[in-house]
Every structure is written in C-alpha cells, then in structure tokens.
C-alpha cells in the first residue's frame, strides 16, 4: 500500500535523491550530474522555501514525489490576494505508474493550496503528464511569456 508523506527534515535526503533520479530521466543525464551545488541549493529551498513536497512510499521505498511552491505577487483583479502557486517535479517511478499515485500527490497539493487561499496554480507539463493535468482541470493557456536572463 502506498503511503503519502510530507517531506520533513528526516525525509530531506530521500526527497533529494528522488529529485535527482527524476531530473536524470527527464534530461537524459546521470543523476550524479545533479549533485554538488545543485543539490545544496535544492536542499536549502526544501528547508527554507515556501513549499510543500509530498513523497509516495511503498514501505520504505520512495516511488514518487511532487512539489508545490507558493508565490505571493501584487494583487490583481483576477487574483485579489496575490496568492499563487506552481507545481513542479511530479514524478512516479516507472514500475508504479498508472496506479493513481501522481493524481493523489497533485490533488493533495491542490487541496493544501486551497486552504492557503491560493487562487491560481501553474505547472509545466511533459507530454506524458498532460492528460492527468487535463483531467484535474488544468488548461493550457497563452497567459504567460518568459525570458531567460543571463
């Protein structure tokens, strides 16, 4: 049976390892390439950032993770409290996919966001993740433009 846990200091190393695994798969790199400064900064954000990360565990084995980062912006007409969030790093180990694990992690994070007064949640979806997010009510939009700064 899968158990869902919020990442605390005791689970930090487990969350970091699972994140490196996920990034290695997504970017086609060895997960060791995400060690060092990258892992240090990630650990700092897990510890000090305004976020919640959920781990899905099969016994002692971590099999999935998902993070929501909270952002407060200047209020707008559509978002008068200025409270927004971004979901990222949704990952389920290949042998555990199609069992509702990612859905449970994301809905848990969405429920928490509602209790915090968040009025808009964004995410970046892979092709594999898009169908799940669509069934949860996410819509593709052209609201945003971005620029990478050097």
């Amino acid at each position: 049976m899968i158990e869902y846990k919020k990442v605390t200091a005791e689970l930090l190393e487990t969350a970091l390892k699972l994140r490196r695994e996920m990034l290695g798969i997504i970017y086609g790199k060895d997960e060791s390439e995400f060690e060092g400064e990258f892992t240090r900064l990630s650990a700092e954000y897990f510890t000090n950032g305004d976020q919640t990360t959920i781990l899905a565990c099969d016994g002692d084995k971590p099999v999935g993770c998902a993070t929501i980062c909270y952002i407060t912006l200047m209020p707008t007409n559509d978002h008068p409290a200025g409270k927004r969030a971004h979901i990222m790093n949704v990952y389920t180990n290949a042998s555990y996919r199609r069992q509702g694990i990612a859905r449970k992690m994301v809905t848990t994070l969405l429920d928490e966001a509602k209790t915090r007064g968040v009025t808009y949640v964004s995410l970046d979806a892979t092709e594999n993740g898009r169908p799940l997010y669509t069934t949860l009510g996410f819509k593709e939009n052209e609201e945003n433009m971005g620029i990478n700064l050097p």
Side-chain angles (χ1 to χ4, degrees), residues 14-118:
T14 302
L16 290 168
K17 181 178 182 344
L18 200 57
R19 185 166 192 254
R20 286 191 302 267
E21 177 184 317
M22 175 205 58
L23 292 171
I25 291 167
I26 289 173
Y27 295 108
K29 296 181 175 185
D30 186 272
E31 66 184 72
S32 67
E33 291 187 46
F34 297 101
E35 292 177 356
E37 183 72 356
F38 186 89
T39 294
R40 185 190 71 73
L41 291 170
S42 296
E44 185 177 300
Y45 189 79
F46 275 123
T47 303
N48 301 317
D50 192 7
Q51 60 82 34
T52 298
T53 298
I54 301 289
L55 286 181
C57 298
D58 184 3
D60 289 337
K61 180 182 179 182
V63 299
C65 62
T67 298
I68 190 166
C69 302
Y70 294 99
I71 308 156
T72 301
L73 302 173
M74 185 180 295
T76 65
N77 186 54
D78 292 338
H79 308 285
K83 294 180 179 183
R84 299 184 188 200
H86 186 78
I87 291 178
M88 58 188 300
N89 299 147
V90 178
Y91 170 71
T92 305
N93 180 282
S95 60
Y96 286 83
R97 292 184 184 151
R98 313 240 13 111
Q99 297 177 34
I101 294 170
R103 174 179 297 279
K104 176 67 175 171
M105 291 186 297
V106 171
T107 58
T108 298
L109 294 174
L110 290 173
D111 289 344
E112 179 182 279
K114 288 175 194 171
T115 68
R116 292 179 64 154
V118 169

